[in-house]
Amino acid sequence: MKYSWNWLKTFIDIDIEPKGLADRLSMIGFGVESLIPSGSDYIFDVEITPNRGDCLSMLGLGREIAALLGKKMTLPLMTYNEIENKTDDLVQVKVEAPDLCPRYCGKVVKGVKIASSPDWLVEKLLAVGLRPINNVVDITNYVLAELGHPLHAFDLNSVMGLEIIIRRARAGERIRTIDGVERMLDSDMLIIADQHRPIAIAGVMGGVNSEITQKTTDIFIESAYFDPPSVRRTSKKLNLSSDASYRFERGTDPHALTKAIERTCHLIQKLCPCEVCDGVIDTNPQPLQPKKTWLRSSRVSSLLGVKVEKRRVEQLLTRLNFDIQRRDEDSWTVTIPSYRRDIEKEIDLIEEVARLYGYDQIPSTMPLWRGEDAGASDWVERERLIRRTMTAAGYYEVINYSFVDDNTDRLFRTEAEEAVRLQNPIAEQMGILRASLLPGMVANLAWNINRGIKNIKIFEIGKVYHLVKGIKRPEERKTLGITATGNFGERYWKDGKREFDFYDLKGVIEFLFHHFGWETLSFAPDNIDFYHPVRTALIRFGHRPIGHMGMLHPQICAQLEIPQNVYMAQLDLEPLLKAEASLVKFQPLPKFPAISRDISLLFDRGISFDVITRWINSLKEDIISEVKIYDLYHQGDNIPKDKVSISLNIQFRHPQRTLTLEEVARTQERLINLLKEKLNAEPR
Amino acid sequence: MKSKLLKLKKEFQAELEGVVDLRSLVDLKNKFLSRKRGLLTVALKEISLLPVEERPEIGKLANKVKGFMEKELTLRQRKLEAEEEARRIKEAQIDITIPGRLPPMGGLHPIMLVKEKMEKIFLELGYTVEDGPDIETDYYNFVALNFPKDHPARDSQATFLIDEELLLRTQTSPVQVRVMEKREPPIRIIVPGRCFRRDWDITHTPNFFQMEGLVVDEGITLGDLKGTLEYFVRQLFGKKTKARFRPSFFPFTEPSADLDISCFHCGGKGCRLCKSSGWIEILGAGMVHPNVFKVVGYDPERYSGFAWGMGIDRVALILYQIEDARLFYENDLRFLQQFREII
């Protein structure tokens, strides 16, 4: 909110420079966002926290400045002359909803001449960001800016039946507000009505039907206290916020209603000749008793960590207009000013003491610790290590929004998966919570490819969200996503370039599991729609499926306009973060050398390596210590169309002695014969 | 015979001069010393034809010549080999200015780098890391934290709604309540996590990361809050960083504070980063409100505590001097490749 230096100075003798005042206001809780010179004035833009609605005026912030500087305030003039006509002879006020309107005051002023406001008034309004309209409206706005109390002026002759009724709206009632918009009302909304129709939405905005016009001569000035949550609900529901509603919802001072009317009358009489009617309509002259609470000196010290002298506590609170009386050796009874709606209990008073005492005066200490041993839990360390493993494998971490486009996400969901929908998404294409990390990550590939980066390997760790049948709360699972496209590595001299493929992706998953010593990882053929039908696998950990991997289906790839093959995997991290960590048990180094043999064989095209190794294992030849595949050829290279050439490297080793070449040759022959017999293999 | 031997020696010497590589050296060796047809070998065989009295002298000379030749050949061979080796080494020269072949390079997202660094500072102080759901109830996200319904304090936290009851948490603070409900003091935790608000501009993204901290025990003071967070900012932004606490408002803490740090970029003189103020606002904090303690069943007369919350994205923006928060979620590799671990 904007504050004028000159205006503030009409209440307080400020004996420091504007810059100094700005710094000191910041240090008592009023952050000055800017201080801008404007002619002979300075404009302070101050951030007022939602609890300090009482400071949304020159007088309100002025009270804080007076407390800060230890000064007294001079209140603005409130004097005016009244005629004999009584206000309550001219208009009746009836509050039908006292719960939402605990106090309603009003006064009639007759014979006003509507005109533009004088320059001094216009200047002041403009300085604090208010738009001048006409003298009567400007005065109500002026009083709002000055005292912080919202007022509304009705054209009295538009009030049908000369009766003001404060009631809940009836379903179906409408009002055109002064911004020209027709508003639908409902029975939760408080309105001001005459005998026939709504004439204002209470605390939010007046109606066109009773607004001040050039023809207005008699006005009814409303000064009311409306229930803050009610004003807020109405304002939210109508999506209509005003200077008045902003203040009402932050809580106004129910005791200041008549003061605001008096100040208004003083100003109206100053500006134009008019007749202020006698008396004020006041539905509840004593709306509430002053609030009292207590404060303990010992509590101030123990919470702030510094001994604040009793005299100092008394001095600081007195400056803030609290009435503070000693109760006993340690405590006081404190009466709270009516405008301080944020203060209820001792803790609120301690904050008042602390902020005026100065946070910078409180010595810094470190808390003692008497709890159990602490530190990072296993899952924290493990997640960290997963990140490190992925970066070590050459992957960059990405973070995507949790929101995705339902249509894209749907491509990456199985039929059983149901996404969580938002009621109020920020954008249409961000309407659901992601059920998979893959749509976002595939979009990351496309983004980079479109910017000329073709070789990409990325991972993401984040939650995915699903609706679960029969449970109200959707499920959230921490998940690892991996996607890659382009060449496997950077292109270097003397190195061939190779496209990233299925086995690179599988390898990084194996690498990750190897890192944690988890040996029960396995891959099985699968048929998830969004993968290439014959290049995909289900990933199991133990016997439990924990994810899937493969090549993105070429049709989806084309649909997403990605001109490269895309590989991707998604793994549920929850079981991995919780899985047993295994400590390595050292294996003695082999004492005898191994003998290595390479064999190349032609197999039928559909062979699986898994089957080959299973048959080799069935030989139960203890001296075969390792079987690796080191070369693989399909069609071309003189390979028939229905065949595949697999080159195996076999390590032979005996734990207790050196092997003879003869026994290696014998075993190798048994192996080849078995593969010939069982798998129709032909040596090449 | 004698002159013949001396002639052979002279001839050998002359040819040796012309030897430039190992191959011609072998040729030379064969020419004179080959076991069958070597010129000297042939000459030596002739010695047996000489009169007996001449043989010792000539024989001695012949051996001397042979010895000379063998020695010279060996010496020359060594020399040639050394030259050859030197040449080979010279020829193996490479251009050491060509950049190396990098192993596959990866890296963490800058938000995670900052998150882990922040975690580390508190883990070293003995805090534990806690976690909570992204999908929260209105109760945990607001009501239990002393944000009543229809209160303007909710304005600063534009909320994504799922249904009447469930929403996306706007802050990590609900985890405070969840942890306190489960556990008795003393408590010393941090809660890093994803939060959601309906804001989207150059400094706000609809989801972002926050880190919450909470300490509860007997005798915890505002001074403890100051000391802890001053330590934290020195660790994160450098030893010379100063902290400034200003009164502020959060419904679930009282007294509340905003923490500014002296601008580490200009040292407090005023620059673009600190908008010429010399200070950068970094987090909100305060003493846990007694109402929150009541909600979780703690006795506010016995226990006190402090809490703070800060945007990890915001810290990353400041630390790396990034001007547009949306870059974090574009995941452009040219952006991601710029970061490295914070020591």
Side-chain angles (χ1 to χ4, degrees):
Chain A
M1 150 134 189
K2 290 194 170 71
Y3 297 85
S4 150
W5 166 254
N6 288 341
W7 202 337
L8 289 166
K9 283 210 298 185
T10 62
F11 308 127
I12 317 140
D13 165 31
I14 305 175
D15 52 5
I16 54 174
E17 293 300 305
K19 176 77 178 76
L21 179 64
D23 289 344
R24 293 189 61 185
L25 277 173
S26 290
M27 296 310 286
I28 61 163
F30 299 93
V32 177
E33 285 172 351
S34 65
L35 169 60
I36 295 165
S38 163
S40 63
D41 201 358
Y42 290 89
I43 305 302
F44 294 70
D45 193 355
V46 184
E47 189 197 342
I48 304 294
T49 52
N51 58 326
R52 293 307 303 271
D54 64 297
C55 291
L56 293 169
S57 64
M58 302 305 132
L59 181 81
L61 191 67
R63 284 189 291 247
E64 291 290 325
I65 296 169
L68 177 68
L69 303 176
K71 303 270 182 184
K72 285 268 173 282
M73 291 193 72
T74 321
L75 290 177
L77 291 173
M78 312 239 176
T79 50
Y80 56 92
N81 299 316
E82 285 180 342
I83 56 165
E84 277 178 20
N85 286 11
K86 286 190 186 306
T87 292
D88 51 11
D89 287 343
L90 297 170
V91 63
Q92 299 301 310
V93 170
K94 193 160 84 192
V95 178
E96 289 181 357
D99 53 332
L100 303 185
C101 178
R103 188 181 184 191
Y104 193 96
C105 299
K107 197 173 182 71
V108 171
V109 178
K110 294 179 66 149
V112 293
K113 171 118 187 57
I114 303 300
S116 4
S117 298
D119 289 348
W120 67 266
L121 179 54
V122 169
E123 268 169 35
K124 278 195 162 170
L125 289 179
L126 289 174
V128 298
L130 294 169
R131 193 167 52 95
I133 296 163
N134 59 49
N135 49 4
V136 169
V137 174
D138 290 352
I139 286 168
T140 59
N141 282 334
Y142 182 93
V143 174
L144 169 79
E146 187 176 64
L147 304 183
H149 202 91
L151 299 163
H152 186 69
F154 293 95
D155 179 344
L156 184 63
N157 297 321
S158 306
V159 177
M160 294 176 157
L162 293 175
E163 188 173 23
I164 302 264
I165 303 158
I166 298 96
R167 60 165 170 86
R168 286 181 166 82
R170 298 186 188 108
E173 270 185 323
R174 293 159 180 268
I175 184 171
R176 185 181 296 276
T177 42
I178 57 170
D179 56 1
V181 181
E182 179 96 0
R183 313 266 173 189
M184 275 292 282
L185 303 171
D186 69 39
S187 58
D188 287 336
M189 297 174 180
L190 187 71
I191 57 158
I192 314 299
D194 59 21
Q195 284 183 344
H196 296 104
R197 59 197 178 151
I199 55 173
I201 304 169
V204 180
M205 197 173 274
V208 173
N209 53 18
S210 60
E211 79 176 318
I212 306 296
T213 66
Q214 292 302 319
K215 293 179 195 137
T216 303
T217 54
D218 300 345
I219 60 172
F220 175 76
I221 304 163
E222 166 197 282
S223 178
Y225 177 77
F226 299 117
D227 174 55
S230 157
V231 173
R232 183 175 161 83
R233 276 196 301 273
T234 303
S235 153
K236 287 264 144 185
K237 219 181 261 182
L238 294 173
N239 195 19
L240 174 63
S241 178
S242 63
D243 288 319
S245 70
Y246 190 80
R247 284 170 178 80
F248 277 123
E249 66 183 44
R250 279 161 178 73
T252 49
D253 179 6
H255 287 267
L257 304 190
T258 48
K259 287 263 180 302
I261 290 182
E262 285 166 16
R263 178 65 174 154
T264 308
C265 294
H266 171 86
L267 289 167
I268 291 183
Q269 240 170 24
K270 195 169 154 185
L271 255 58
C272 67
C274 59
E275 296 173 335
V276 178
C277 294
D278 179 39
V280 169
I281 293 173
D282 189 345
T283 63
N284 187 4
Q286 267 304 326
L288 29 98
Q289 293 299 312
K291 279 188 292 181
K292 283 184 193 217
T293 186
W294 38 263
L295 175 66
R296 289 164 296 173
S297 169
S298 54
R299 191 72 179 159
V300 173
S301 305
S302 70
L303 211 63
L304 301 185
V306 65
K307 175 97 192 109
V308 184
E309 293 298 327
K310 289 199 186 76
R311 277 213 338 261
R312 186 109 173 93
V313 171
E314 288 165 0
Q315 179 207 24
L316 295 175
L317 289 180
T318 306
R319 280 189 187 184
L320 287 166
N321 302 327
F322 291 91
D323 178 37
I324 176 163
Q325 303 294 332
R326 285 279 175 99
R327 192 166 72 163
D328 56 37
E329 195 47 45
D330 188 40
S331 69
W332 297 276
T333 300
V334 181
T335 309
I336 301 161
S338 60
Y339 54 84
R340 290 303 303 271
R341 298 182 40 85
D342 58 318
I343 306 288
E344 286 179 358
K345 297 197 176 125
E346 182 181 41
I347 190 68
D348 305 316
L349 294 172
I350 294 174
E351 180 173 64
E352 293 303 293
V353 172
R355 71 184 179 90
L356 276 203
Y357 183 78
Y359 283 9
D360 52 345
Q361 298 302 306
I362 293 166
S364 300
T365 48
M366 281 299 240
L368 288 176
W369 183 238
R370 50 178 200 90
E372 289 167 20
D373 288 352
S377 332
D378 287 351
W379 69 266
V380 174
E381 290 294 352
R382 193 160 292 169
E383 193 180 313
R384 240 167 221 255
L385 196 51
I386 291 171
R387 286 206 158 82
R388 291 297 178 292
T389 309
M390 291 307 297
T391 59
Y395 288 72
Y396 279 95
E397 185 182 27
V398 297
I399 300 179
N400 283 294
Y401 291 121
S402 300
F403 317 106
V404 283
D405 180 20
D406 192 15
N407 291 325
T408 316
D409 195 66
R410 200 184 293 277
L411 296 175
F412 296 86
R413 291 204 299 262
T414 58
E415 266 184 25
E417 291 177 303
E418 206 178 329
V420 182
R421 207 160 292 278
L422 293 172
Q423 271 188 3
N424 56 343
I426 198 155
E428 202 186 332
Q429 70 280 14
M430 294 175 97
I432 61 160
L433 291 181
R434 58 184 177 186
S436 164
L437 297 180
L438 298 177
M441 297 187 70
V442 170
N444 297 148
L445 299 181
W447 170 283
N448 280 288
I449 291 169
N450 290 338
R451 281 156 185 79
I453 304 156
K454 311 269 193 229
N455 308 322
I456 310 157
K457 291 186 281 181
I458 52 176
F459 76 99
E460 177 165 11
I461 292 177
K463 281 178 173 172
V464 296
Y465 311 83
H466 293 105
L467 286 181
V468 188
K469 281 222 168 62
I471 301 171
K472 184 163 169 19
R473 175 182 278 277
E475 184 183 51
E476 306 175 16
R477 298 191 77 87
K478 212 169 247 182
T479 303
L480 168 67
I482 308 173
T483 59
T485 187
N487 290 332
F488 173 71
E490 193 80 24
R491 189 168 150 201
Y492 283 115
W493 58 99
K494 292 189 175 176
D495 278 351
K497 67 173 180 187
R498 178 165 72 68
E499 207 186 317
F500 188 99
D501 69 16
F502 186 91
Y503 304 105
D504 292 314
L505 180 61
K506 190 176 176 190
V508 75
I509 296 167
E510 289 168 331
F511 175 64
L512 184 66
F513 278 68
H514 178 76
H515 237 85
F516 291 96
W518 295 323
E519 283 163 3
T520 57
L521 175 71
S522 63
F523 298 82
D526 201 9
N527 58 346
I528 298 176
D529 290 346
F530 47 87
Y531 285 112
H532 188 297
V534 295
R535 290 191 177 180
T536 172
L538 181 76
I539 304 168
R540 283 207 185 93
F541 179 50
H543 292 293
R544 180 172 175 182
I546 57 155
H548 41 74
M549 62 163 291
M551 181 175 152
L552 177 60
H553 198 296
Q555 273 170 14
I556 300 181
C557 213
Q559 193 179 336
L560 299 173
E561 293 175 348
I562 299 175
Q564 306 179 181
N565 289 340
V566 167
Y567 286 90
M568 56 191 205
Q570 180 165 282
L571 286 92
D572 182 14
L573 277 189
E574 303 284 344
L576 302 185
L577 294 176
K578 283 183 214 122
E580 247 351 75
S582 65
L583 202 61
V584 168
K585 186 167 181 300
F586 165 73
Q587 300 292 321
L589 306 184
K591 291 195 176 64
F592 298 93
I595 292 173
S596 167
R597 288 286 178 269
D598 290 346
I599 340 169
S600 289
L601 297 159
L602 275 184
F603 290 94
D604 294 339
R605 182 72 168 83
I607 190 74
S608 95
F609 183 67
D610 208 30
V611 171
I612 299 174
T613 48
R614 250 184 282 151
W615 278 114
I616 294 175
N617 289 339
S618 75
L619 284 173
K620 302 228 181 309
E621 284 280 6
D622 294 342
I623 65 168
I624 298 177
S625 68
E626 198 181 355
V627 179
K628 275 193 299 199
I629 183 163
Y630 75 88
D631 230 338
L632 184 67
Y633 294 102
H634 296 109
Q635 268 176 278
D637 306 298
N638 296 330
I639 311 290
K641 211 174 175 181
D642 54 344
K643 294 284 175 186
V644 55
S645 162
I646 295 179
S647 302
L648 299 173
N649 172 268
I650 301 168
Q651 299 281 319
F652 298 89
R653 190 199 297 277
H654 195 286
Q656 270 103 40
R657 58 183 172 81
T658 306
L659 289 173
T660 65
L661 294 179
E662 289 72 31
E663 51 186 333
V664 169
R666 228 174 17 246
T667 310
Q668 185 177 340
E669 182 147 1
R670 270 196 74 198
L671 186 150
I672 291 173
N673 287 336
L674 177 84
L675 296 181
K676 274 185 185 166
E677 184 191 328
K678 301 291 183 192
L679 297 175
N680 194 25
E682 305 161 36
R684 288 185 74 208
Chain B
M1 190 65 197
K2 186 179 173 184
S3 63
K4 191 176 177 183
L5 287 171
L6 291 173
K7 196 178 150 228
L8 278 175
K9 183 184 172 189
K10 219 170 197 168
E11 211 180 307
F12 172 83
Q13 276 179 303
E15 286 193 27
L16 188 64
E17 288 296 307
V19 168
V20 289
D21 57 23
L22 284 167
R23 188 148 166 206
S24 48
L25 189 73
V26 172
D27 289 347
L28 183 65
K29 188 178 175 184
N30 287 340
K31 181 173 176 188
F32 286 91
L33 296 175
S34 157
R35 235 179 267 176
K36 279 184 185 160
R37 284 197 303 276
L39 294 175
L40 187 64
T41 321
V42 173
L44 286 177
K45 278 179 188 157
E46 285 170 11
I47 291 175
S48 60
L49 304 175
L50 291 175
V52 178
E53 61 278 13
E54 285 181 28
R55 284 184 210 163
E57 194 196 344
I58 296 297
K60 216 175 188 177
L61 179 65
N63 278 332
K64 218 171 140 187
V65 170
K66 191 182 177 191
F68 170 79
M69 285 183 182
E70 283 172 341
K71 193 181 157 207
E72 284 297 305
L73 283 167
T74 313
L75 283 176
R76 179 53 61 98
Q77 186 180 348
R78 276 193 206 143
K79 191 177 166 228
L80 286 173
E81 277 171 359
E83 281 170 7
E84 174 86 15
E85 177 73 11
R87 195 165 49 245
R88 263 204 305 275
I89 284 175
K90 204 174 165 217
E91 279 167 2
Q93 191 196 3
I94 56 163
D95 178 0
I96 60 144
T97 67
I98 295 175
R101 291 188 196 97
L102 295 171
M105 298 265 278
L108 292 188
H109 191 283
I111 289 177
M112 286 302 144
L113 290 168
V114 172
K115 180 195 104 147
E116 290 197 354
K117 172 67 182 175
M118 291 180 6
E119 276 177 0
K120 194 167 154 241
I121 295 169
F122 287 107
L123 285 171
E124 281 169 0
L125 286 176
Y127 286 68
T128 48
V129 179
E130 291 289 341
D131 198 10
D134 290 355
I135 298 172
E136 262 300 357
T137 58
D138 187 81
Y139 176 78
Y140 281 107
N141 196 74
F142 289 123
V143 176
L145 291 165
N146 207 24
F147 284 80
K149 283 223 194 269
D150 302 315
H151 193 276
R154 291 189 177 202
D155 273 353
S156 62
Q157 307 201 2
T159 311
F160 285 105
L161 304 173
I162 291 172
D163 57 33
E164 291 297 295
E165 179 57 22
L166 295 174
L167 45 78
L168 294 180
R169 66 174 176 189
T170 58
Q171 45 189 353
T172 40
S173 316
V175 184
Q176 284 188 25
V177 179
R178 289 180 175 277
V179 169
M180 286 192 282
E181 277 180 346
K182 269 188 297 192
R183 230 192 277 160
E184 285 298 306
I187 280 176
R188 185 147 69 163
I189 57 164
I190 50 169
V191 186
R194 200 182 275 250
C195 300
F196 308 82
R197 290 184 197 174
R198 286 188 86 245
D199 295 321
W200 208 354
D201 59 34
I202 194 162
T203 50
H204 298 90
T205 50
N207 71 215
F208 57 96
F209 290 80
Q210 247 194 9
M211 186 179 283
E212 188 86 2
L214 174 71
V215 174
V216 182
D217 201 353
E218 291 170 6
I220 299 291
T221 68
L222 186 61
D224 292 336
L225 178 156
K226 284 184 67 184
T228 301
L229 293 176
E230 282 166 2
Y231 170 80
F232 167 73
V233 300
R234 285 196 303 270
Q235 291 293 308
L236 188 62
F237 295 100
K239 292 268 176 281
K240 286 184 186 148
T241 310
K242 285 191 192 58
R244 181 176 82 168
F245 292 83
R246 284 180 292 106
S248 186
F249 168 73
F250 307 104
F252 49 109
T253 55
E254 188 159 27
S256 299
D258 281 328
L259 169 57
D260 301 334
I261 56 164
S262 56
C263 180
F264 58 89
H265 187 234
C266 65
K269 286 197 283 286
C271 67
R272 214 170 139 208
L273 187 63
C274 59
K275 294 178 197 129
S276 345
S277 70
W279 296 96
I280 304 171
E281 188 177 324
I282 213 83
L283 60 82
M287 302 302 289
V288 180
H289 200 288
N291 289 356
V292 178
F293 282 153
K294 276 182 205 150
V295 158
V296 299
Y298 287 4
D299 177 5
E301 287 292 304
R302 179 171 171 203
Y303 295 113
S304 55
F306 61 86
W308 72 92
M310 71 187 115
I312 301 175
D313 303 37
R314 179 172 160 74
V315 172
L317 284 179
I318 292 166
L319 211 53
Y320 296 118
Q321 294 172 45
I322 298 167
E323 285 177 1
D324 188 343
R326 293 168 295 196
L327 281 169
F328 286 136
Y329 301 94
E330 277 174 4
N331 299 305
D332 191 310
L333 277 178
R334 295 163 301 180
F335 174 78
L336 297 174
Q337 283 166 344
Q338 292 185 31
F339 303 95
R340 56 178 175 269
E341 302 269 344
I342 309 164
I343 307 296

